[in-house]
Amino acid sequence: MCDKADNHIDVQPEGNLEVSSVSRTRLYRRRWVILLLFSSYSLCNAFQWIQYGIINNIFMKFYQVSSFAVDWLSMVYMLTYIPFIFPVTWLLERKGLRVVALLAASINCAGTWIKVASVQPSLFWVTMLGQFACSCAQVFILGMPSQVASVWFGSDEVSTACAIGVFGNQLGIAIGFLVPPVLVPNVEDMGELAEHISIMFYVTAGVATLIFLLVVFVFQEKPETPPSLAQVALRNMPTGQHSYLAYIARLMCNKPFILLLISYGLNVGSFYAVSTLLNRMIIEHYPGEEVNAGRIGLTLVVAGVVGSLICGVWLDKTKTYKQTTLSVYLLSFVGMLIYSFTLNLGHLWLVFLTSGVLGFFMTGYLPLGFEFAVELTYPESEGTSSGLLNCSAQVFGIAFTIIQGKIIDHFSTLAGNIFLCVFLLIGSIMTAFIKSDLRRQKANQETRGNADSSVHPQHGETLPVKEVKM
């Protein structure tokens, strides 16, 4: 295997971020394997988040519970994240990516097998237990895309890598919208329905087990040589600066990050609410269209996947973090307005179209928020900033899902969607006030500049950059 490496002559770039006199960066081809593996177990976990909600009415009938109880099978993902993200982030800082990956894959695998044992109408509590286990695994996953990207990828591809990491989660949600309505049709015979549910649970458990074994034998902690100058600086930072509580304290004093923290929560919390309640919204206006409700959810997420990848590539090329984030946020608000006022017109093709527009921007916003946060908070841990963003999203997601569900029950679907539109507008305004302080980009530029200025040419010649084959 040939890996590219660059030799950079560096001096102290700023503050306490000291690097050695000669810093070498290298990109390993195995970084794509690590990213693919992360995306795979993220996909498997995200699939399970929405597999109950998209056929809400069917699970209500099978377990003989209320729609609100089934909603909690999705909301437990949000609730679990809030108290556990802080110890998980601490564990990430102390033990690294591999330990976190092993815990994520193993707990997710255990949750799938618990659910296999829950296929009886009286065992709703068992299926909730299995879903709780999967929700715990999600805490080890959701904030990791930016961390994996920063640890394994170079500065010119880190945003694309983060977008691909988010892509795995989005693809899992997309499959979660598409597959359950197909595998579990709305039949009246309880024995037949139990068989369909069992097949879905067994397939999920088999996939989760395979992914767990791959993580055990393939997933690596970090490359031997850092992929970027920013990572070189972080590795040479004195260990005293790695205090987790100090990380949190500095982030809480970072005003641009606080604005992003709240606005990110408003946007992603709205997406969680729409995804969780999609079945109820579609069935209200289009009775008997469970399969199409899943396809609409698929459209929402696949369009978002495209949006995420395009935004990731765009950021790597332009570095216009605030402009891109604000533009996508405003278009998410516009997309939500259009979706809200066309849902009840009686044309399913129009719902597919407006869902695609909404998903392209609302789901496409996810990697933008992660990468913008890393820029605003460098050299703080990517896992810490991403974890706080996701914690905000979970808090708003729970609140929005419960409140919008009650509004739909007591008023109408339109009123519930307008409720979300108001908060998306507020989030857009907050994003406009974020100061664009791109610290990671500055660190890379200053380190390169110092490297260039420290080269002492002889006889008018400059020292070439060396490429190493290994």
Side-chain angles (χ1 to χ4, degrees):
M1 180 180 295
C2 295
D3 296 314
K4 181 185 287 186
D6 294 332
N7 286 339
H8 298 276
I9 299 180
D10 297 317
V11 296
Q12 179 174 326
E14 59 176 334
N16 294 320
L17 298 183
E18 293 186 355
V19 295
S20 60
S21 60
V22 178
S23 296
R24 190 167 74 175
T25 63
R26 178 179 300 138
L27 294 178
Y28 294 83
R29 291 179 182 173
R30 72 177 73 100
R31 70 193 187 279
W32 298 107
V33 177
I34 300 298
L35 184 61
L36 177 62
L37 195 50
F38 167 78
S39 297
S40 297
Y41 67 75
S42 177
L43 180 155
C44 183
N45 183 262
F47 166 82
Q48 296 174 83
W49 168 58
I50 205 65
Q51 71 178 152
Y52 294 97
I54 196 56
I55 47 175
N56 182 295
N57 57 321
I58 296 176
F59 278 107
M60 284 173 58
K61 178 173 63 178
F62 182 75
Y63 286 115
Q64 299 176 357
V65 295
S66 67
S67 62
F68 189 61
V70 178
D71 287 343
W72 270 110
L73 288 168
S74 295
M75 288 192 292
V76 69
Y77 264 58
M78 308 175 207
L79 182 64
T80 305
Y81 192 91
I82 298 167
F84 288 120
I85 181 54
F86 297 104
V88 167
T89 305
W90 177 87
L91 185 68
L92 174 67
E93 297 304 318
R94 291 295 180 268
K95 300 298 181 181
L97 281 174
R98 177 170 166 81
V99 170
V100 169
L102 286 170
L103 287 169
S106 60
I107 296 172
N108 184 66
C109 181
T112 61
W113 285 106
I114 292 173
K115 285 191 275 189
V116 166
S118 71
V119 190
Q120 292 183 26
S122 61
L123 295 180
F124 179 76
W125 68 273
V126 177
T127 210
M128 177 62 83
L129 179 63
Q131 190 73 341
F132 173 74
C134 294
S135 73
C136 290
Q138 179 222 207
V139 184
F140 295 88
I141 297 171
L142 208 54
M144 294 305 105
S146 58
Q147 181 84 1
V148 174
S150 295
V151 169
W152 280 94
F153 287 81
S155 59
D156 292 334
E157 57 188 15
V158 67
S159 295
T160 302
C162 181
I164 295 172
V166 174
F167 165 80
N169 190 270
Q170 293 172 332
L171 184 59
I173 297 172
I175 297 172
F177 277 124
L178 178 65
V179 172
V182 175
L183 291 181
V184 187
N186 192 2
V187 297
E188 295 301 324
D189 183 85
M190 288 295 105
E192 183 182 354
L193 184 57
E195 183 178 345
H196 289 303
I197 294 173
S198 182
I199 290 172
M200 180 173 70
F201 286 166
Y202 267 111
V203 170
T204 308
V207 171
T209 302
L210 175 61
I211 292 173
F212 168 65
L213 293 174
L214 288 173
V215 170
V216 170
F217 293 108
V218 176
F219 199 93
Q220 294 182 333
E221 169 66 29
K222 61 184 177 182
E224 181 179 348
T225 303
S228 67
L229 294 173
Q231 282 295 304
V232 172
L234 285 177
R235 290 196 187 184
N236 286 277
M237 180 184 292
T239 56
Q241 295 187 27
H242 287 286
S243 167
Y244 180 64
L245 292 179
Y247 282 150
I248 299 295
R250 286 193 294 267
L251 289 176
M252 291 299 102
C253 295
N254 186 327
K255 292 181 180 179
F257 176 72
I258 294 300
L259 286 173
L260 179 63
L261 182 69
I262 299 172
S263 60
Y264 182 92
L266 293 173
N267 188 301
V268 181
S270 298
F271 169 71
Y272 288 161
V274 170
S275 299
T276 301
L277 301 172
L278 184 63
N279 174 269
R280 292 168 62 182
M281 289 191 280
I282 300 300
I283 296 301
E284 177 182 333
H285 296 293
Y286 306 93
E289 294 287 355
E290 289 89 358
V291 173
N292 273 323
R295 291 170 180 167
I296 290 168
L298 174 69
T299 303
L300 184 82
V301 178
V302 169
V305 167
V306 176
S308 294
L309 295 176
I310 291 175
C311 289
V313 173
W314 175 259
L315 285 184
D316 277 331
K317 298 296 183 182
T318 67
K319 311 300 182 186
T320 54
Y321 288 86
K322 178 178 176 178
Q323 298 92 320
T324 305
T325 301
L326 179 58
S327 298
V328 171
Y329 210 124
L330 284 169
L331 290 168
S332 297
F333 165 66
V334 173
M336 189 68 200
L337 277 177
I338 296 172
Y339 170 80
S340 300
F341 286 98
T342 58
L343 182 60
N344 61 351
L345 295 183
H347 303 293
L348 264 176
W349 66 268
L350 187 58
V351 180
F352 274 96
L353 179 62
T354 56
S355 297
V357 173
L358 176 63
F360 184 88
F361 296 111
M362 184 175 279
T363 316
Y365 172 81
L366 297 175
L368 294 178
F370 281 153
E371 283 299 290
F372 198 15
V374 172
E375 292 294 335
L376 294 174
T377 60
Y378 181 88
E380 312 300 348
S381 164
E382 296 90 348
T384 304
S385 61
S386 298
L388 289 172
L389 288 184
N390 282 315
C391 188
S392 174
Q394 311 309 317
V395 171
F396 284 111
I398 292 173
F400 287 173
T401 301
I402 293 174
I403 296 171
Q404 188 185 16
K406 296 299 183 183
I407 293 174
I408 291 173
D409 291 339
H410 292 90
F411 298 98
S412 66
T413 298
L414 177 61
N417 286 332
I418 291 176
F419 164 78
L420 295 182
C421 290
V422 171
F423 285 97
L424 286 173
L425 177 60
I426 293 172
S428 299
I429 295 171
M430 294 182 71
T431 302
F433 283 98
I434 297 174
K435 180 183 177 181
S436 184
D437 182 16
L438 306 182
R439 299 180 180 183
R440 182 174 61 180
Q441 296 304 316
K442 290 178 182 177
N444 277 319
Q445 291 167 4
E446 289 177 8
T447 305
R448 288 195 185 99
N450 287 328
D452 292 339
S453 64
S454 66
V455 174
H456 300 287
Q458 297 179 353
H459 307 295
E461 296 181 356
T462 59
L463 183 66
V465 174
K466 185 177 180 183
E467 184 176 282
V468 179
K469 300 288 187 180
M470 296 189 69

